[in-house]
Amino acid sequence: MTECPAETPAASANVGEVVSVRGSVVDVRFGGTLPAIYTLLRAGDGDAVAIEVLAQLDAQHVRGIALTPTQGLARGMPVHDTGGPLQAPVGKAILSRMFDVFGNAIDREPVLADVAWRSVHRPPPALVRRSTKSEVFETGIKAIDVLSPLERGGKAGLFGGAGVGKTVLLTEMIHNMVGHQAGVSIFCGIGERSREGEELHREMKAAGVLPHMVMIFAQMNEPPGARFRVGHAALTMAEYFRDDEHRDVLLLVDNIFRFIQAGSEVSGLMGQMPSRLGYQPTMGTELAALQERIANTDSGAITAIQAVYVPADDFTDPAAVHTFSHLSASIVLSRKRASEGLFPAIDPLQSSSKMVTPGIVGERHYALAQAIRRTLAQYAELKDIIAMLGLEQLSPDDRKVVARARRLERFLTQPFFTTEQFTSLSGQLVSLQDALDGCERILADEFKDLPESALYMIGAVDEATAKAKVHGARKPQPAPEQQPAKEKAHALDDA
């Protein structure tokens, strides 16, 4: 591998010694020049321990956080000042490869050649370089493109608790976007399981999209310092493709909560006083330093989709609140919808996007999105009445609203390419036009005579008619007041 010049001990004759080691926190004394903040130090046998300077304690002592395990480190050991910060490899050669936070290839492929190295600590693009044009970024997923469209060069968040489908949705977006766009995808795994990284690499290779991807991981068993810096390393790679290659970049981060969590661990280890709910007092600044580098400029765009774990499904948690403030679109995954089998389990009433305005998406799309939300909101209000009194107590107009809403909910489900092996359903990529046409026709009661199940897990809406024929034509149900008493209780369970 090409050696980073700033990480070669010979690059600097400044040598200190370890004063104390407390877990990942290492204090070092220097007799000569004191290293600057963010300087990378090397210590231990073969300079195996990497330490990033985070504080200058006095004229001779610095305190740093180890980015690698500190086993074997002892007081009095020499520490080499590398003369520069942590650096990441950039260049065309990094495509199709998988890296750790130090830029070491971890995919068992040949060593890297012909790459440059750049600092992971870079300022965000200047305001004058940023683009002010708003464009929609299509994903091919109905529930997102219709109700919460993403912005090119914007930041979208995937919010949800454990096990509701964040990683599956991210993987599907990689499959759809890399396969149909000429840009580059960078997957940044912060605190990921090694199993997930290996599976993703294998799936992307099988899908044929690996030549346009870069993966960088900091596994959950690595020290907090490594998990805290891997996001910055991924952005340095993304900025190279945007600014030097003039290509659009799709940056997928799984999981941004782990970045905040790693920062909280680093802050606690450094002895800072915790803030609200135990988070670090500098959380807002640290998150902003990362998020502001994701931008649409005159040379290209970095579009970010970030999975955000919500602790205990509490959206008032400071980690979720701070992340919300940076996003142009929020896609909220609902455990209730997942339990009902409505996948992707996107909550249409909690999800939002600033792109849904007539000036950006157009009058028709805006009006349809509002009509869909209104219908689903009315259905949500009527659920309590239905549960207590039954469907027959609703007015005819309300019954029509319920029928439309339930068909819309099922139409907004979609079979994914990445789950074909589990569901035996072929993946579907649905254009925005097809998705809008389907919603419009459902709202116009065109499919009121079809069973709701015909609209479940399909692509374009025309597939519903064919699906209903395959499963046998069913007569329209009579109105609830004409039904036998036993059937009334099941009027909503047409599946």
Side-chain angles (χ1 to χ4, degrees):
M1 176 172 296
T2 309
E3 186 66 46
C4 167
E7 292 194 15
T8 307
S12 171
N14 198 19
V15 179
E17 69 172 6
V18 175
V19 174
S20 70
V21 182
R22 297 188 306 281
S24 292
V25 178
V26 183
D27 287 359
V28 184
R29 179 171 61 240
F30 282 90
T33 309
L34 208 61
I37 300 293
Y38 296 150
T39 299
L40 195 70
L41 311 178
R42 289 284 187 177
D45 187 23
D47 285 328
V49 180
I51 303 161
E52 186 176 69
V53 175
L54 290 185
Q56 294 182 340
L57 301 179
D58 54 37
Q60 289 188 311
H61 294 83
V62 294
R63 178 167 292 168
I65 194 86
L67 307 183
T68 52
T70 53
Q71 282 94 334
L73 207 58
R75 293 171 64 182
M77 279 190 170
V79 178
H80 302 282
D81 177 3
T82 65
L86 178 66
Q87 298 194 332
V90 296
K92 290 181 180 177
I94 69 171
L95 285 170
S96 80
R97 304 302 299 271
M98 186 189 283
F99 300 95
D100 64 10
V101 69
F102 299 104
N104 302 316
I106 54 174
D107 51 10
R108 297 186 182 177
E109 297 290 328
V111 294
L112 277 179
D114 193 28
V115 293
W117 293 80
R118 291 184 183 172
S119 167
V120 302
H121 302 283
R122 295 167 62 83
L127 206 56
V128 292
R129 284 196 56 215
R130 294 184 183 235
S131 172
T132 55
K133 189 178 178 184
S134 291
E135 298 175 65
V136 172
F137 195 81
E138 279 193 42
T139 65
I141 298 169
K142 290 180 285 191
I144 294 175
D145 290 344
V146 173
L147 295 172
S148 306
L150 308 186
E151 180 185 11
R152 178 180 174 269
K155 295 177 274 286
L158 279 180
F159 290 82
V164 293
K166 295 186 299 297
T167 303
V168 170
L169 198 53
L170 275 184
T171 311
E172 183 71 8
M173 287 185 189
I174 295 172
H175 182 279
N176 291 356
M177 295 182 193
V178 175
H180 296 84
Q181 307 222 9
V184 175
S185 275
I186 295 180
F187 185 92
C188 175
I190 304 176
E192 281 290 277
R193 301 165 184 85
S194 55
R195 168 185 60 78
E196 290 178 336
E198 188 276 329
E199 284 175 0
L200 183 67
H201 186 270
R202 185 162 22 91
E203 285 168 10
M204 294 301 104
K205 193 171 185 177
V209 298
L210 203 57
H212 305 284
M213 279 193 76
V214 183
M215 297 186 201
I216 181 166
F217 285 92
Q219 292 164 213
M220 55 170 53
N221 65 321
E222 293 185 37
R227 287 181 271 123
F228 190 51
R229 286 295 173 229
V230 71
H232 297 88
L235 271 165
T236 297
M237 294 174 175
E239 286 164 348
Y240 163 80
F241 288 109
R242 180 191 66 190
D243 300 336
D244 294 45
E245 299 274 331
H246 302 290
R247 297 172 75 175
D248 283 357
V249 182
L250 176 65
L251 175 66
L252 300 120
V253 182
D254 189 7
N255 184 309
I256 202 71
F257 174 78
R258 306 286 176 215
F259 167 79
I260 294 170
Q261 194 177 45
S264 180
E265 290 178 50
V266 169
S267 173
L269 288 166
M270 293 295 291
Q272 293 178 334
M273 184 72 71
S275 181
R276 188 171 161 228
L277 293 188
Y279 286 104
Q280 65 270 40
T282 52
M283 176 171 66
T285 310
E286 290 166 359
L287 188 61
L290 187 78
Q291 300 279 9
E292 286 301 302
R293 291 172 65 181
I294 302 166
N296 187 358
T297 70
D298 47 14
S299 57
I302 299 175
T303 303
I305 301 172
Q306 307 165 22
V308 186
Y309 167 69
V310 181
D313 293 342
D314 177 16
F315 285 89
T316 63
D317 188 89
V321 170
H322 277 267
T323 307
F324 262 121
S325 63
H326 291 280
L327 305 174
S328 55
S330 300
I331 299 162
V332 179
L333 300 179
S334 156
R335 193 175 302 282
K336 186 172 184 296
R337 293 177 74 82
S339 67
E340 292 170 1
L342 299 172
F343 292 104
I346 295 168
D347 188 324
L349 299 179
Q350 281 193 284
S351 302
S352 63
S353 170
K354 72 173 191 179
M355 304 299 285
V356 186
T357 63
I360 297 173
V361 297
E363 291 285 353
R364 178 184 176 234
H365 186 164
Y366 174 75
L368 269 173
Q370 294 299 100
I372 293 165
R373 285 183 195 278
R374 193 161 50 246
T375 303
L376 294 173
Q378 285 176 276
Y379 176 43
E381 290 172 2
L382 293 169
K383 278 182 178 177
D384 288 341
I385 297 173
I386 296 166
M388 289 185 290
L389 304 175
L391 186 66
E392 65 272 13
Q393 296 301 318
L394 300 180
S395 68
D397 284 346
D398 282 347
R399 283 200 290 273
K400 285 181 181 176
V401 167
V402 170
R404 285 181 206 131
R406 288 177 63 82
R407 282 167 172 76
L408 279 171
E409 282 184 336
R410 279 146 186 77
F411 177 63
L412 291 175
T413 61
Q414 190 169 339
F416 282 175
F417 292 97
T418 50
T419 57
E420 284 180 3
Q421 58 182 321
F422 308 113
T423 63
S424 301
L425 296 171
S426 299
Q428 296 271 17
L429 186 78
V430 184
S431 70
L432 176 60
Q433 197 58 45
D434 284 346
L436 291 175
D437 286 345
C439 292
E440 192 171 46
R441 290 166 68 183
I442 291 168
L443 288 169
D445 289 336
E446 191 174 321
F447 299 95
K448 65 181 179 181
D449 295 334
L450 287 184
E452 293 168 1
S453 57
L455 291 154
Y456 179 67
M457 284 294 171
I458 60 170
V461 78
D462 289 327
E463 293 178 29
T465 310
K467 186 176 177 182
K469 285 177 182 174
V470 169
H471 289 83
R474 291 179 59 180
K475 293 179 181 179
Q477 283 192 335
E481 60 268 15
Q482 299 172 339
Q483 289 178 305
K486 284 183 181 178
E487 292 180 15
K488 287 184 181 182
H490 303 290
L492 287 177
D493 296 328
D494 179 23

